[in-house]
Amino acid sequence: MNNRRTKRLTILAMMIALDVVLSPLFRIEGMAPMSSVLNVTAAVLMGPIYATVMALVTAVLRMMLLGIPPLALTGAFFGALLAGLGYRYGGHIGWAIAGEILGTGLIGSLLSYPVMIWFTGSASGLFWFVYTPRFFGGAISGSLIAGLFWLKLKETTIFIGTNCQIKCNFLPKKTSDGVFQTKTLRGRLFKSLTNFAIS
């Protein structure tokens, strides 16, 4: 159990470090495509909870160390969460990409408006969709890069075994008859849907 937890935290720490270092390096003014690349990658590798934790910790570190405004937080949180949920329940990276674009491009951009009014203390030059084009641009470009990266990565022989080990540490377990354990969120959802279909 402790070994499994250590592996999870190690992978999480590596993803946070990559996000903190790479996002400022490959940044276009008003857009952070590398943040979306790592959100989608983390969603596929680690699931929604760890991907969201990665996005939150990275955003806080970037605000503290680089002086980035709270846009780092609003732009990362919802994209990572919806990307993780999309992949968890859709089972395909396309759902993770859609979740990232919706979470960052739409929800994150719209919530950035009131957050920045609070942060700056002024609504001058701000309106509801002021961040939407840039957030959508960053989310779409970053998500597509992540999709291409994932397609090439999963073809490599070294990644096949590594990916299996990673997913064994993060994904919900199944019982011997192939049913998800009911103590997990996915297992409870599966059980409730099954019961509903039978009744």
Side-chain angles (χ1 to χ4, degrees):
M1 182 66 181
N2 287 333
N3 187 35
R4 193 165 176 237
R5 185 179 300 158
T6 302
K7 287 180 180 178
R8 287 179 178 179
L9 294 176
T10 302
I11 295 166
L12 177 62
M14 289 170 54
M15 294 297 291
I16 291 170
L18 283 171
D19 204 350
V20 170
V21 172
L22 294 178
S23 291
L25 292 178
F26 299 97
R27 185 173 181 271
I28 305 167
E29 185 58 37
M31 295 191 291
M34 281 307 298
S35 180
S36 292
V37 171
L38 288 160
N39 278 355
V40 173
T41 305
V44 173
L45 288 178
M46 302 188 298
I49 295 175
Y50 282 87
T52 306
V53 170
M54 181 207 76
L56 285 173
V57 174
T58 301
V60 171
L61 287 174
R62 289 174 66 198
M63 287 190 294
M64 290 173 58
L65 300 176
L66 303 174
I68 295 174
L71 294 176
L73 194 59
T74 56
F77 175 82
F78 297 100
L81 177 62
L82 292 184
L85 291 173
Y87 187 78
R88 172 67 56 89
Y89 296 109
H92 189 272
I93 193 169
W95 288 104
I97 291 172
E100 170 65 20
I101 292 171
L102 177 64
T104 297
L106 184 62
I107 299 173
S109 67
L110 291 177
L111 288 177
S112 295
Y113 167 69
V115 168
M116 286 305 290
I117 288 178
W118 166 80
F119 181 71
T120 61
S122 170
S124 176
L126 296 176
F127 52 92
W128 276 107
F129 293 99
V130 66
Y131 299 108
T132 303
R134 287 176 286 179
F135 275 45
F136 260 116
I140 291 171
S141 58
S143 297
L144 293 178
I145 292 170
L148 295 173
F149 170 72
W150 185 257
L151 289 175
K152 295 302 292 181
L153 187 63
K154 71 178 185 179
E155 293 175 1
T156 59
T157 53
I158 193 171
F159 183 71
I160 295 171
T162 308
N163 186 37
C164 178
Q165 292 176 2
I166 290 171
K167 290 194 172 184
C168 286
N169 285 307
F170 286 99
L171 294 184
K173 299 295 182 184
K174 291 183 180 180
T175 58
S176 57
D177 58 354
V179 178
F180 285 105
Q181 293 179 3
T182 54
K183 66 181 180 180
T184 64
L185 175 63
R186 190 173 181 179
R188 290 196 297 270
L189 179 65
F190 181 83
K191 185 178 180 181
S192 62
L193 289 174
T194 305
N195 292 340
F196 176 78
I198 294 173
S199 62

